[in-house]
Amino acid sequence: SGGAIYVADARGGRVWIHFPDGDSLRNFRVARQRAADGSFGFCVTADGTIVVPDSDGGSIQAFTPAGRLQSLWKLPAAAGKPARPVAAAAGPDDFVYIADSASGRIAKYTSRGAQVALWDAPADAAGPLRGIAVSRNHVFVLRGAKPQLEVWTLDGQRVLTDAFGNRYSAAPTAPLYFAVSHDEQVFV
């Protein structure tokens, strides 16, 4: 709400917070993601909690605005595979949405780590989750090597799958990033 800029270094294990003019405010350590390749989707909730996925450890870390660890929770494993949370997004409903690339599931939590819902990957899901973003009314996920965008309601109903007009005939050679505005404009 104050316009702060948050920047993360997944491999180095650090989050920096800057004033809107770019001057540094503080930085703090998070779990290093040695295998990080592509985007690192952490989020900041309305109350300032900084939620950081630890894909190497299968857990989620929640930090105070001052950078102190306030809670840590494990994402549940699925079908014998350890969880691999790759991105977190804060919703307008004060919940945090987590993308698990190992199982393809979407988990919904409070910012303190209480699980509210867990949505299984649809039977026709085309690969692992790569990212997640939340607007006022929907959860957007990027899935698969040949990327597809899925749109879900905040209560877990998938309402749309889009293959970007088949613009990607194979996996992109560079990491693919996306963002969604509150009025549901998608930027890839």
Side-chain angles (χ1 to χ4, degrees), residues 3 50 56 70 87 127 136 139 171 174 178:
I50 303 158
D56 291 345
Q70 69 182 16
R136 267 186 246 145
V139 176
F178 84 112

Side-chain angles (χ1 to χ4, degrees), residues 20-108:
D21 65 5
D23 289 340
S24 182
L25 172 63
R26 73 176 53 93
N27 69 77
F28 58 94
R29 291 200 173 279
V30 297
R32 292 178 60 185
Q33 303 302 301
R34 290 173 179 82
D37 183 24
S39 64
F40 181 62
F42 70 101
C43 68
V44 181
T45 66
D47 70 358
T49 301
I50 303 158
V51 180
V52 181
D54 174 9
S55 60
D56 291 345
S59 62
I60 306 298
Q61 305 165 82
F63 296 88
T64 67
R68 286 186 296 276
L69 184 66
Q70 69 182 16
S71 61
L72 173 80
W73 68 90
K74 285 281 199 186
L75 207 60
K81 293 182 190 175
R84 190 160 169 75
V86 293
D93 50 5
D94 292 327
F95 292 114
V96 176
Y97 296 81
I98 307 294
D100 179 3
S101 100
S103 68
R105 298 181 304 179
I106 300 166
K108 184 177 179 178

